[in-house]
Amino acid sequence: MFINLTNHPSERWSKEQLNAARQYGVVVDMPFPIIEPTFTKDDIMFLVKECTEKISGLMECNTVVHVMGEMTFTYNLVNALKDAGITCLASTTERNTIITPDGKKISEFKFVQFREY
């Protein structure tokens, strides 16, 4: 099983990214929690505990978790999952940035691979 814990549902992924995820098994989306900028470390750790328990409840053999999002939560969740023996992955991309004539910056990302934390 491939658990996608991000703000980017797999239904919007490129064919390449979806195929790469399916190499790990069935893709299951899990929404990334809302992390308020006012949260304390205790608030973050509470969410980490909740997510770890939820993921553990979904686990099958060879489950991996794709974790991308707010950095302090991601750091603590990845450490908790790794401590539980769960493999965590990050997605890597190539970034193409275009500056429009009016000064707006448009970034396009092309999936490259999943990389283990």
Side-chain angles (χ1 to χ4, degrees), residues 57-93:
L58 292 173
M59 291 260 325
E60 294 178 357
C61 263
N62 301 320
T63 296
V64 299
V65 183
H66 174 228
V67 186
M68 300 289 290
E70 195 277 339
M71 293 305 298
T72 60
F73 174 81
T74 296
Y75 173 82
N76 286 289
L77 180 64
V78 167
N79 284 326
L81 293 174
K82 286 178 70 171
D83 286 348
I86 301 169
T87 300
C88 297
L89 304 173
S91 47
T92 67
T93 60

Coordinates of all heavy atoms in Angstrom, one line a residue, residues 57-93:
G57 N -3.5 1.9 11.6 CA -4.7 1.2 11.4 C -5.0 0.8 10.0 O -5.8 -0.1 9.7
L58 N -4.3 1.5 9.1 CA -4.5 1.2 7.6 C -3.5 0.2 7.1 O -3.6 -0.3 6.0 CB -4.4 2.5 6.8 CG -5.5 3.5 7.0 CD1 -5.1 4.8 6.2 CD2 -6.8 3.0 6.5
M59 N -2.4 0.0 7.9 CA -1.2 -0.7 7.4 C -1.5 -2.1 6.9 O -2.3 -2.8 7.5 CB -0.2 -0.8 8.6 CG 0.4 0.5 9.0 SD 2.0 0.8 8.3 CE 2.9 -0.7 8.2
E60 N -0.8 -2.4 5.8 CA -0.8 -3.7 5.3 C 0.7 -4.0 5.2 O 1.6 -3.2 5.4 CB -1.4 -3.8 3.9 CG -2.9 -3.5 3.9 CD -3.5 -3.5 2.5 OE1 -2.7 -3.6 1.5 OE2 -4.7 -3.3 2.4
C61 N 1.0 -5.3 4.7 CA 2.4 -5.6 4.5 C 3.1 -4.6 3.5 O 2.4 -4.2 2.6 CB 2.5 -7.0 3.9 SG 2.9 -8.2 5.2
N62 N 4.3 -4.2 3.8 CA 5.0 -3.4 2.8 C 4.4 -2.0 2.6 O 4.5 -1.5 1.5 CB 5.3 -4.1 1.5 CG 6.1 -5.4 1.7 OD1 7.0 -5.4 2.5 ND2 5.7 -6.4 1.0
T63 N 3.7 -1.5 3.5 CA 3.1 -0.1 3.3 C 4.2 0.9 3.4 O 5.1 0.8 4.2 CB 2.0 0.1 4.4 OG1 1.0 -0.8 4.3 CG2 1.5 1.6 4.4
V64 N 4.1 1.9 2.5 CA 5.0 3.1 2.5 C 4.1 4.3 2.7 O 2.9 4.3 2.3 CB 5.9 3.2 1.3 CG1 6.8 2.0 1.2 CG2 5.1 3.4 0.0
V65 N 4.6 5.4 3.2 CA 3.9 6.6 3.4 C 4.6 7.8 2.7 O 5.8 8.0 2.9 CB 3.7 7.0 4.9 CG1 2.8 8.2 5.0 CG2 3.0 5.8 5.6
H66 N 3.9 8.4 1.8 CA 4.5 9.6 1.0 C 4.1 10.8 1.9 O 2.9 11.1 2.0 CB 3.8 9.6 -0.4 CG 4.2 10.8 -1.2 ND1 3.2 11.6 -1.8 CD2 5.3 11.4 -1.5 CE1 3.7 12.5 -2.5 NE2 5.0 12.5 -2.3
V67 N 5.1 11.5 2.5 CA 4.8 12.6 3.4 C 5.4 13.9 2.8 O 6.7 13.9 2.7 CB 5.3 12.4 4.8 CG1 4.9 13.5 5.7 CG2 4.9 11.0 5.3
M68 N 4.6 14.9 2.5 CA 5.1 16.2 2.0 C 4.2 17.2 2.6 O 2.9 17.1 2.4 CB 5.1 16.2 0.5 CG 5.9 15.2 -0.2 SD 7.7 15.5 -0.1 CE 7.9 17.0 -1.1
G69 N 4.7 18.2 3.2 CA 3.9 19.3 3.8 C 4.7 20.1 4.8 O 5.9 20.2 4.8
E70 N 3.9 20.8 5.7 CA 4.5 21.7 6.7 C 5.7 21.0 7.4 O 5.6 19.8 7.8 CB 3.4 22.1 7.7 CG 3.8 23.3 8.6 CD 4.7 22.9 9.8 OE1 4.7 21.7 10.2 OE2 5.3 23.8 10.3
M71 N 6.8 21.7 7.4 CA 8.1 21.0 7.7 C 8.2 20.5 9.2 O 8.7 19.4 9.4 CB 9.3 22.0 7.5 CG 9.4 22.3 6.0 SD 9.7 20.8 5.0 CE 11.2 20.1 5.6
T72 N 7.7 21.2 10.2 CA 7.9 20.7 11.5 C 7.0 19.4 11.8 O 7.5 18.5 12.4 CB 7.6 21.7 12.6 OG1 6.3 22.2 12.5 CG2 8.6 22.9 12.5
F73 N 5.8 19.4 11.2 CA 5.0 18.3 11.3 C 5.6 17.1 10.5 O 5.7 16.0 11.1 CB 3.6 18.6 10.8 CG 2.7 17.4 10.7 CD1 2.0 16.9 11.9 CD2 2.5 16.7 9.6 CE1 1.2 15.8 11.8 CE2 1.7 15.5 9.5 CZ 1.1 15.1 10.6
T74 N 6.0 17.4 9.3 CA 6.6 16.3 8.5 C 7.8 15.7 9.2 O 7.9 14.5 9.2 CB 7.0 16.9 7.1 OG1 5.8 17.3 6.4 CG2 7.7 15.8 6.2
Y75 N 8.7 16.5 9.7 CA 9.9 16.0 10.3 C 9.5 15.1 11.5 O 10.1 14.0 11.6 CB 10.7 17.2 10.9 CG 11.9 16.8 11.7 CD1 13.1 16.4 11.2 CD2 11.8 16.8 13.1 CE1 14.2 16.0 12.0 CE2 12.8 16.5 13.9 CZ 14.0 16.1 13.3 OH 15.1 15.7 14.1
N76 N 8.6 15.5 12.3 CA 8.2 14.7 13.5 C 7.5 13.5 13.1 O 7.7 12.4 13.7 CB 7.5 15.6 14.5 CG 8.4 16.5 15.3 OD1 9.2 16.1 16.1 ND2 8.3 17.8 14.9
L77 N 6.6 13.6 12.1 CA 5.8 12.4 11.7 C 6.7 11.4 11.0 O 6.6 10.2 11.3 CB 4.7 12.8 10.7 CG 3.9 11.6 10.2 CD1 3.1 10.9 11.4 CD2 2.9 12.0 9.1
V78 N 7.6 11.8 10.2 CA 8.6 10.9 9.5 C 9.4 10.1 10.6 O 9.6 8.9 10.5 CB 9.4 11.6 8.5 CG1 10.6 10.7 8.1 CG2 8.6 12.0 7.3
N79 N 9.9 10.9 11.6 CA 10.6 10.2 12.6 C 9.8 9.2 13.4 O 10.3 8.1 13.7 CB 11.2 11.3 13.6 CG 12.4 12.0 13.0 OD1 13.2 11.4 12.2 ND2 12.6 13.2 13.3
A80 N 8.5 9.5 13.7 CA 7.7 8.6 14.5 C 7.4 7.4 13.6 O 7.4 6.3 14.1 CB 6.4 9.3 14.8
L81 N 7.1 7.6 12.3 CA 6.8 6.4 11.5 C 8.0 5.6 11.3 O 7.9 4.3 11.3 CB 6.3 6.9 10.1 CG 4.9 7.6 10.2 CD1 4.5 8.2 8.8 CD2 3.8 6.6 10.7
K82 N 9.2 6.2 11.1 CA 10.4 5.4 10.9 C 10.7 4.6 12.2 O 11.1 3.4 12.2 CB 11.6 6.3 10.6 CG 11.5 6.8 9.1 CD 12.6 7.7 8.8 CE 13.9 7.0 8.7 NZ 15.0 7.7 8.2
D83 N 10.5 5.2 13.4 CA 10.7 4.5 14.7 C 9.7 3.3 14.7 O 10.1 2.3 15.4 CB 10.4 5.4 15.8 CG 11.5 6.5 16.1 OD1 12.6 6.3 15.5 OD2 11.3 7.4 16.9
A84 N 8.6 3.4 14.1 CA 7.6 2.2 14.0 C 7.9 1.3 12.9 O 7.2 0.3 12.7 CB 6.2 2.8 13.9
G85 N 9.0 1.5 12.2 CA 9.4 0.6 11.1 C 8.7 0.8 9.8 O 8.7 0.0 8.9
I86 N 8.1 2.0 9.6 CA 7.4 2.3 8.4 C 8.2 3.2 7.5 O 8.8 4.2 7.9 CB 6.1 3.1 8.8 CG1 5.2 2.2 9.7 CG2 5.3 3.5 7.5 CD1 4.0 2.9 10.3
T87 N 8.3 2.8 6.2 CA 9.1 3.5 5.2 C 8.4 4.7 4.8 O 7.2 4.7 4.5 CB 9.4 2.6 4.0 OG1 10.1 1.4 4.4 CG2 10.2 3.3 2.9
C88 N 9.1 5.9 4.8 CA 8.5 7.2 4.4 C 9.2 7.6 3.1 O 10.5 7.5 3.0 CB 8.6 8.2 5.5 SG 7.7 7.7 7.0
L89 N 8.5 8.2 2.2 CA 9.0 8.7 1.0 C 8.7 10.2 0.8 O 7.6 10.7 1.2 CB 8.4 7.9 -0.2 CG 8.5 6.4 -0.2 CD1 7.7 5.8 -1.3 CD2 9.9 6.0 -0.3
A90 N 9.6 10.9 0.0 CA 9.3 12.2 -0.5 C 9.3 12.1 -2.0 O 9.9 11.3 -2.6 CB 10.5 13.2 0.0
S91 N 8.6 13.0 -2.6 CA 8.6 13.1 -4.1 C 9.6 14.2 -4.5 O 9.7 15.2 -3.8 CB 7.2 13.4 -4.6 OG 6.6 14.5 -3.9
T92 N 10.3 13.9 -5.6 CA 11.2 14.8 -6.1 C 10.7 15.3 -7.5 O 10.0 14.6 -8.2 CB 12.6 14.3 -6.3 OG1 12.6 13.2 -7.3 CG2 13.1 13.7 -5.0
T93 N 11.0 16.6 -7.8 CA 10.5 17.2 -9.0 C 11.5 18.1 -9.6 O 12.5 18.5 -9.0 CB 9.2 18.0 -8.7 OG1 9.6 19.1 -7.8 CG2 8.1 17.2 -8.2

